[in-house]
Amino acid sequence: MIETPIKQAKNRLSELVREVEETGQTVVITRNGKAVADLVPHRAKTKLDFDAVRRFNEKHGIKGLVTYIAPDFDDPLPEDFLLRPLPDPVKPPKTPRKR
């Protein structure tokens, strides 16, 4: 990992990109000593491996993503269900504020 101030990174961008390409290292760009950005090697998008998906499904006994849709799936909900009050939301624990 290489750390460099943002002013130096601006002046040496081509050199830093070459370093990342050749070594695979990450360049951390800092401002006032604090990391603000990372220059990392590019990872090409991988294509979906359909054979791997098929093998996974066979291994776990999955025959399809959606095996059944009820005939009334998109029917309107009953009025008594819609008028029922919502449950109280779960409140996250309070954390002290940073000052």
Side-chain angles (χ1 to χ4, degrees), residues 35-93:
V36 293
D38 292 334
L39 187 57
V40 297
H42 177 72
R43 288 187 297 167
K45 289 184 180 180
T46 56
K47 294 182 180 178
L48 186 59
D49 183 356
F50 289 104
D51 288 332
V53 173
R54 182 186 48 75
R55 288 191 305 271
F56 177 88
N57 288 348
E58 287 174 358
K59 177 181 177 184
H60 296 284
I62 299 170
K63 294 185 175 135
L65 295 178
V66 178
T67 57
Y68 174 76
I69 298 176
D72 62 349
F73 172 75
D74 57 355
D75 286 354
L77 293 171
E79 191 171 326
D80 65 327
F81 178 82
L82 295 172
L83 296 175
R84 197 176 318 156
L86 293 172
D88 289 335
V90 177
K91 294 182 181 177

